[in-house]
Amino acid sequence: MVSVKTVIIDGESIHVFKSAIYLFESSTGITLELDLIVSEVTVKKYKKMENLIMEIELEDGRIINSIMHVKVFSGGLPQLNLFCELDDIYEYEDFNKVNENDAWFPNIEEGITLEEIRKVEMPIEEVSLKLKLPIDQVEWLKSQKKGALNEMFREWIENYRNVNKS
């Protein structure tokens, strides 16, 4: 079985938690497919792109350079599906083959959790709150710098969550 060692997208190395590389055979032809479990940050960065310049290093030392199309699967763990058409499969004879009629498909989500992924790269989201507060608290909040408020709320939420775990 062929396995992936490193992945570089558009010149940038990405952290891959799990992966599967294989040939997909359909009535329209054969594609090289690369399924990757990555961070939510990585999915957000590449999900709107149509094509990516890929450099895939395999465990056996081979390097695949290709322009690949992107699909993002929703639900489950954050993952990218990258694929490209193949004319000559000679170089890929040792790759697993999946047929469109097969019931078997690589399951790369097994054995990893979203919590483990977020320990490596936690996404940061912007949030807006609507609160009703006394005017003196509103004035104080408005006088604070955004970075200080972000840190204050992060700490407060963490402390609140830790106290209320039991």
Side-chain angles (χ1 to χ4, degrees):
M1 183 172 122
V2 178
S3 57
V4 174
K5 183 176 180 182
T6 61
V7 175
I8 297 173
I9 300 177
D10 289 344
E12 183 180 334
S13 183
I14 64 164
H15 187 93
V16 176
F17 294 90
K18 284 186 99 176
S19 65
I21 190 165
Y22 55 95
L23 299 179
F24 184 76
E25 300 173 305
S26 70
S27 57
T28 58
I30 297 176
T31 55
L32 175 65
E33 304 260 342
L34 175 63
D35 295 340
L36 302 170
I37 299 287
V38 294
S39 72
E40 294 157 294
V41 174
T42 301
V43 169
K44 189 174 185 176
K45 182 174 183 175
Y46 296 111
K47 73 180 180 182
K48 292 188 176 155
M49 297 187 179
E50 289 182 31
N51 300 310
L52 298 172
I53 299 169
M54 302 294 301
E55 181 179 307
I56 306 158
E57 181 183 5
L58 304 177
E59 288 290 348
D60 64 12
R62 288 184 286 177
I63 303 224
I64 299 170
N65 289 298
S66 180
I67 295 175
M68 300 182 92
H69 307 288
V70 183
K71 278 192 287 189
V72 175
F73 298 126
S74 57
L77 297 177
Q79 63 181 288
L80 296 173
N81 170 260
L82 302 148
F83 61 97
C84 64
E85 301 291 325
L86 290 178
D87 294 325
D88 180 19
I89 64 167
Y90 174 74
E91 294 178 54
Y92 307 99
E93 287 180 343
D94 57 335
F95 283 50
N96 284 336
K97 291 181 180 78
V98 176
N99 187 286
E100 66 184 342
N101 299 319
D102 288 346
W104 177 85
F105 230 79
N107 179 9
I108 59 173
E109 289 192 357
E110 196 171 296
I112 188 155
T113 65
L114 188 57
E115 290 75 26
E116 291 171 308
I117 293 169
R118 287 181 174 171
K119 284 178 185 173
V120 173
E121 189 170 30
M122 176 68 79
I124 303 294
E125 297 276 328
E126 193 165 304
V127 65
S128 297
L129 301 174
K130 283 213 169 248
L131 304 170
K132 288 186 177 187
L133 297 171
I135 191 68
D136 62 334
Q137 291 180 6
V138 171
E139 291 168 346
W140 182 84
L141 281 172
K142 287 181 177 181
S143 72
Q144 302 305 304
K145 292 188 169 147
K146 187 176 181 179
L149 285 174
N150 284 336
E151 187 58 32
M152 179 184 72
F153 275 98
R154 255 189 294 240
E155 287 177 16
W156 182 83
I157 290 169
E158 243 353 273
N159 290 336
Y160 188 82
R161 285 169 61 184
N162 289 336
V163 168
N164 291 305
K165 277 186 178 178
S166 37

